[in-house]
Amino acid sequence: MQPLGPGQPSRVGPYRLLGRLGAGGMGEVYLGRSPSGRTAAVKLVHAHLAADAEFRRRFRREIDAARRVSGAWTAPVLDSDTESAVPWVATGYVPGPSLSDVVGAHGPLPEATVWVLAHGLAQALADIHGNGLIHRDLKPSNILITLDGPKVIDFGIAHAVDASRATRTGSMVGSPGYMAPEQIRGEGITTAADVFALGAVLAYAATAVPPFAPDQPSLHTVLYRVLHEPPELGPDTGPLTGPLRELAASSLDKAPERRPDLPAILAAVSGRAGSSELWLPPQLTAQLGRDAAHLLSLEGPQPTQAGAAAPASAWGGPPPGPGQPATITGPLGPLPTAPAPPPPPDRRWRTALIAGTAALAVIAGAVAIANLPSGEERPPGAGSGNGPTEETSDPGEPEGRSGDDLPVDDEATDGGDDGNAPDPGAPFFDQLPEAVQRSGRLDVRAGTYAAPLMFIESGNQPAGLEHDLALEIGERLGVRIDFSAMPDYEALLNAMTVAGAAGEYGQFAMGGLQDTPAIRGNQNLSFVNHLREGFVLLVPQDSGTRTFADVCGKNVVTWDSEQLREIVRQESANCERESIDVETAMTMEEMVAMVNDTEVAGIVVPYSGAVDYLAENPGSGLWATEEQIAVTPRGIAVHRGNEELCDALQAAVQSMIDDGTYQELLDEWQLPALAVESVTVNLG
């Protein structure tokens, strides 16, 4: 748990907040204490979800259903406010680490412990299913280990996030290695999906090895194994043996109708579970006792805000006021950014204006180093699963992946011209896969975090350089282009991987996507390299700084990222005598203030992010150096098995370069330095 920082709320409704537990897909999570002294995990919903009417409707419904689940094996819903500017929900705080933390620290659990675990989880699922809910995301990080037995969290409410994401981005909640095959395929699911997850959890608890990811493979490999290969349960001689092995194996059947139902599972475990009073190994029992004692001693800070007032606007409601930082999740994880301005008027930036925000420019810049995962923010040593497990990496997920937002192919949220029939006379129509020729359309997963390359303008429509490139590609291929806006980088890549694994090849992705061997291998993607981008310096106009060589012996500032620091270190090696020192800051506002106070000589930002910032802040007194460092290719992402579409896209973009349309679009968006001379594939 982290102490509360400046600008964070100290009270939500009746709960006095003691500290921050983490952040995840639904929002920020705090440890709170009620006036009666009961501790609770208080979750404040993210702003983008709070603004989603469909999310609010489902959130209310799922909380009402979750309140009815009050068994001994679940964390109950204590209180909520679904109508405030910042919706929140308080659930009973469970003083225990997650199953993933326990197994990671102590190894496989004894068989007797696993039987008690199985009994508790089956009871919890029975309570959840009995109230008309399906958990949908049962996994080790959603199971908390306490002295009284296991507790299941994040049931029901996760469905509201799931449904909202599915509506907006074609994605669903689930974790690779714990999702049932029918979930991966995007089919309708039943309670049997939770039984599949239960089997995977029991196998992991007994062996410390995820049944579909014993070797930490790529996301694509995990999904393929869940769909087509038997689980890895270890040797017959143990540690997973006998009836417990049979229970796990039957629960992991590919066909939902062949899995045991919960009454059968409860009958199988009830005679073997024994008592939960002393169900854990002694060393773990002692640790949980110490943690519980520490919890009772927490007092928290003195309240700075009273009553049920909404917390600081970084969590939703009206836009932040001047000087109040907002938080946007991007490829580097949650990146604090400059305050978001009000929505811009309807406009397309062609000359002096850029549609979008400085905050989105930060995210666009972060795409340049997008091989860093965007997992959940979790304080060092945080073991409690009361935090927002919507974005927790579990054993069985590919390393560094956020498995809670596994996408499936779904309806596009935004489209091009309606009713356009395919045009067989278009220059490259014949190069398209037959299925695309028949449908006459291509779906574009649009990374709208990447202004000015791709972003959402007023009216909830995608815009940007890559948006216009995609429409021109559609003209040359003779098909309609439909856009599915995806505000999260990791979800976009996962969407492409999952759709490819399911054989859905009529789509590609754009959004400042960096092409690297690691991304290609982990995601099973190819990249049609159509842009190139590096980093520049934002410096005072009167500073005389024109290149990175001019800041040798001085300080520069950038975001807190090891990869960004390494980029500056590599450039510093070119200095003749004194090196370039790197400072870090959390927001663009802080960095600009450091430049204005002469604490640093300049700000290291991506080229497109610099262009965007200067257009949005013409009176800043800063300008961008022309020289780019650490230039890498950007690409259009296509599933690796989709060679025909990859070749067609390459041919279409190359024709745009040859006839000058490509350069014209880059010039209109004032991004000429992103140009490539010819289109390549997998150059990174």
Side-chain angles (χ1 to χ4, degrees):
M1 184 176 68
Q2 294 175 324
L4 298 178
Q8 292 180 332
S10 60
R11 182 177 293 275
V12 174
Y15 294 92
R16 182 161 60 92
L17 302 187
L18 306 178
R20 182 178 179 275
L21 294 172
M26 192 174 81
E28 300 275 345
V29 183
Y30 297 88
L31 178 63
R33 179 169 286 156
S34 71
S36 65
R38 182 167 187 175
T39 52
V42 183
K43 302 188 179 187
L44 293 95
V45 170
H46 279 316
H48 71 275
L49 291 173
D52 185 337
E54 177 64 14
F55 168 81
R56 281 184 179 263
R57 184 183 70 81
R58 292 182 181 271
F59 188 55
R60 286 192 293 269
R61 188 181 70 186
E62 300 298 336
I63 285 181
D64 288 343
R67 284 181 186 275
R68 299 194 297 269
V69 181
S70 58
W73 308 99
T74 55
V77 173
L78 304 177
D79 201 355
S80 67
D81 185 347
T82 61
E83 306 302 326
S84 64
V86 184
W88 57 270
V89 58
T91 59
Y93 180 79
V94 179
S98 68
L99 177 62
S100 56
D101 288 339
V102 168
V103 174
H106 300 277
L109 298 179
E111 181 176 342
T113 297
V114 179
W115 278 116
V116 177
L117 175 70
H119 181 258
L121 296 182
Q123 291 279 17
L125 290 177
D127 290 340
I128 292 169
H129 296 171
N131 284 279
L133 297 172
I134 301 173
H135 193 293
R136 301 168 186 265
D137 197 23
L138 185 70
K139 57 183 179 179
S141 64
N142 275 343
I143 299 163
L144 306 184
I145 304 302
T146 76
L147 294 173
D148 298 325
K151 305 283 186 181
V152 173
I153 62 172
D154 278 350
F155 51 88
I157 296 171
H159 184 205
V161 183
D162 169 21
S164 180
R165 287 173 176 165
T167 300
R168 294 182 292 108
T169 67
S171 62
M172 65 180 296
V173 168
S175 300
Y178 300 92
M179 292 174 70
E182 60 269 25
Q183 263 182 295
I184 293 175
R185 290 192 294 265
E187 300 170 355
I189 65 171
T190 66
T191 55
D194 284 347
V195 171
F196 185 93
L198 173 62
V201 166
L202 296 180
Y204 169 71
T207 65
V209 176
F212 296 102
D215 51 350
Q216 290 296 319
S218 68
L219 172 64
H220 181 268
T221 300
V222 174
L223 296 174
Y224 181 87
R225 288 174 178 173
V226 172
L227 289 170
H228 303 294
E229 295 184 359
E232 174 56 59
L233 302 179
D236 292 338
T237 55
L240 184 57
T241 62
L244 187 58
R245 185 186 185 94
E246 294 172 4
L247 174 60
S250 61
S251 299
L252 289 168
D253 198 295
K254 306 296 184 192
E257 66 273 10
R258 292 200 298 264
R259 297 172 203 149
D261 58 18
L262 281 177
I265 293 174
L266 285 168
V269 303
S270 59
R272 301 176 183 274
S275 170
S276 63
E277 291 182 3
L278 294 174
W279 73 293
L280 296 171
Q283 67 272 25
L284 185 54
T285 300
Q287 175 192 323
L288 294 182
R290 290 191 296 270
D291 292 345
H294 173 69
L295 177 65
L296 293 174
S297 69
L298 291 175
E299 291 297 333
Q302 292 300 312
T304 56
Q305 92 186 52
S313 57
W315 291 275
Q324 291 179 298
T327 298
I328 295 178
T329 301
L332 294 180
L335 289 177
T337 69
D346 288 325
R347 58 185 169 91
R348 290 290 182 88
W349 166 54
R350 294 299 189 185
T351 53
L353 295 177
I354 297 178
T357 67
L360 290 179
V362 174
I363 304 303
V367 174
I369 44 177
N371 55 320
L372 293 180
S374 67
E376 175 189 1
E377 181 184 348
R378 180 176 286 242
S384 173
N386 291 273
T389 58
E390 296 92 24
E391 292 191 4
T392 303
S393 293
D394 273 272
E397 298 179 21
E399 186 173 358
R401 312 309 304 170
S402 172
D404 306 303
D405 209 4
L406 279 187
V408 295
D409 192 35
D410 202 356
E411 271 186 34
T413 58
D414 177 63
D417 295 334
D418 293 330
N420 285 1
D423 179 10
F428 305 103
F429 182 84
D430 292 341
Q431 295 189 28
L432 289 169
E434 289 185 7
V436 177
Q437 293 182 23
R438 289 193 301 270
S439 70
R441 64 189 286 264
L442 281 168
D443 295 325
V444 178
R445 304 279 184 173
T448 53
Y449 48 78
L453 303 178
M454 190 83 77
F455 57 94
I456 293 293
E457 65 178 1
S458 59
N460 202 33
Q461 299 297 314
L465 169 64
E466 292 200 283
H467 170 271
D468 291 356
L469 288 172
L471 291 179
E472 184 64 30
I473 288 170
E475 290 288 333
R476 295 174 188 239
L477 296 179
V479 295
R480 189 183 78 197
I481 297 294
D482 290 338
F483 293 91
S484 294
M486 304 198 72
D488 182 80
Y489 170 83
E490 290 289 329
L492 182 150
L493 291 183
N494 289 344
M496 293 299 300
T497 300
V498 174
E504 299 291 338
Y505 286 169
Q507 58 186 282
F508 58 90
M510 302 176 76
L513 302 177
Q514 187 182 25
D515 173 18
T516 70
I519 296 173
R520 294 197 300 266
N522 290 336
Q523 304 286 164
N524 206 39
L525 297 175
S526 290
F527 288 88
V528 178
N529 306 128
H530 67 309
L531 299 171
R532 59 190 294 276
E533 182 173 27
F535 291 82
V536 298
L537 281 170
L538 276 177
V539 296
Q541 295 174 357
D542 58 358
S543 65
T545 299
R546 297 295 180 265
T547 69
F548 275 84
D550 294 330
V551 294
C552 288
K554 301 178 182 178
N555 290 4
V556 297
V557 65
T558 190
W559 291 276
D560 188 8
S561 158
E562 180 55 36
Q563 190 161 353
L564 281 169
R565 285 192 289 267
E566 179 59 26
I567 287 172
V568 176
R569 281 195 291 267
Q570 291 177 6
E571 188 64 24
S572 182
N574 298 322
C575 295
E576 294 183 1
R577 287 186 292 274
E578 296 182 273
S579 61
I580 304 171
D581 292 330
V582 183
E583 304 285 343
T584 61
M586 296 297 292
T587 69
M588 193 67 179
E589 182 184 56
E590 291 178 68
M591 297 185 210
V592 172
M594 292 173 72
V595 171
N596 291 337
D597 293 341
T598 67
E599 296 178 32
V600 296
I603 307 168
V604 180
V605 292
Y607 164 74
S608 62
V611 172
D612 195 17
Y613 178 80
L614 294 176
E616 289 294 319
N617 299 272
S620 67
L622 303 179
W623 82 301
T625 58
E626 294 184 7
E627 175 194 30
Q628 295 187 57
I629 65 169
V631 176
T632 55
R634 302 291 186 270
I636 304 169
V638 182
H639 190 267
R640 189 175 292 175
N642 202 357
E643 287 84 2
E644 285 182 296
L645 180 57
C646 185
D647 293 343
L649 292 171
Q650 183 179 11
V653 179
Q654 186 61 52
S655 72
M656 294 165 59
I657 293 176
D658 294 341
D659 67 18
T661 304
Y662 171 84
Q663 191 63 53
E664 178 184 333
L665 288 174
L666 266 66
D667 290 343
E668 287 178 347
W669 284 95
Q670 295 189 9
L671 296 168
L674 295 181
V676 296
E677 294 182 0
S678 61
V679 185
T680 56
V681 175
N682 296 336
L683 181 63

